[in-house]
Amino acid sequence: TSVIPPGSSSSPIASATAMRFSLLFLAGILLLSVGSRPAIAQGDPVVSIESQDAVRGNAVDVPVDISGFGEIGAVSLVITYDPQVVSFPEGASTGDLISEAPRDDFSANVPEPGELRISWFDATASNPITQNDGMLLQLTFSNYAGGTGAISFGGDSEIGDAQANSYGASYQGGE
């Protein structure tokens, strides 16, 4: 014999069914709330390359934007691109590859067509970049050959704080 408290269902099967329905309902609410969140929480550090329009045969400047960072003590960006769509002159120096960097001692090179590496660090550990959200620097492609191609960040891209600890930023490419 089972004892059924006052106010409860008289059937243990009905109680179990009601409990399952409640759990499924709560799980559905939870899934809907998680699924509706943006992929990147507001305030998380983001580095992005926006898609650009260009005229065939001309140079094109492509901004690299940042948001959500505090002090920046180290920058290491690996940017990949389609060398059939955009290119840099062979043997180009840092000033030919990037512009508008917040410091003069940024370094950039093209180890192979389709890959641009950009780096900077605060060697003194006492003079980090303090910059509001906006453009960090511009990629200065010397020629747009036509068509479309992704300009993306390689997996080794990283931006560090004043002590060179990684921010764990999200990196978003463009075309």
Side-chain angles (χ1 to χ4, degrees):
T1 337
S2 62
V3 177
I4 301 172
S8 66
S9 173
S10 61
S11 165
I13 294 173
S15 294
T17 302
M19 169 101 52
R20 272 190 234 118
F21 174 78
S22 296
L23 289 174
L24 286 172
F25 180 75
L26 289 173
I29 296 293
L30 180 63
L31 285 174
L32 285 174
S33 68
V34 169
S36 65
R37 291 186 182 168
I40 298 170
Q42 221 170 23
D44 286 349
V46 176
V47 184
S48 62
I49 298 171
E50 298 299 321
S51 296
Q52 295 293 307
D53 292 326
V55 176
R56 179 184 224 129
N58 286 349
V60 60
D61 292 333
V62 178
V64 174
D65 294 327
I66 59 171
S67 64
F69 286 91
E71 295 181 329
I72 297 174
V75 175
S76 179
L77 300 176
V78 178
I79 297 172
T80 59
Y81 59 92
D82 183 344
Q84 301 300 314
V85 176
V86 290
S87 60
F88 296 106
E90 194 171 321
S93 67
T94 296
D96 296 325
L97 302 171
I98 62 172
S99 62
E100 307 294 326
R103 300 285 170 83
D104 292 335
D105 54 348
F106 266 69
S107 170
N109 70 322
V110 178
E112 61 183 278
E115 182 178 288
L116 171 66
R117 292 187 173 263
I118 302 168
S119 61
W120 174 85
F121 72 98
D122 176 15
T124 66
S126 63
N127 192 19
I129 296 169
T130 52
Q131 180 173 329
N132 293 329
D133 295 353
M135 188 176 70
L136 175 65
L137 54 85
Q138 285 192 124
L139 311 177
T140 337
F141 292 102
S142 62
N143 185 46
Y144 167 64
T148 60
I151 300 174
S152 314
F153 292 97
D156 294 340
S157 294
E158 198 166 18
I159 294 185
D161 64 14
Q163 290 75 40
N165 299 309
S166 176
Y167 272 106
S170 298
Y171 296 87
Q172 303 171 346
E175 289 185 7

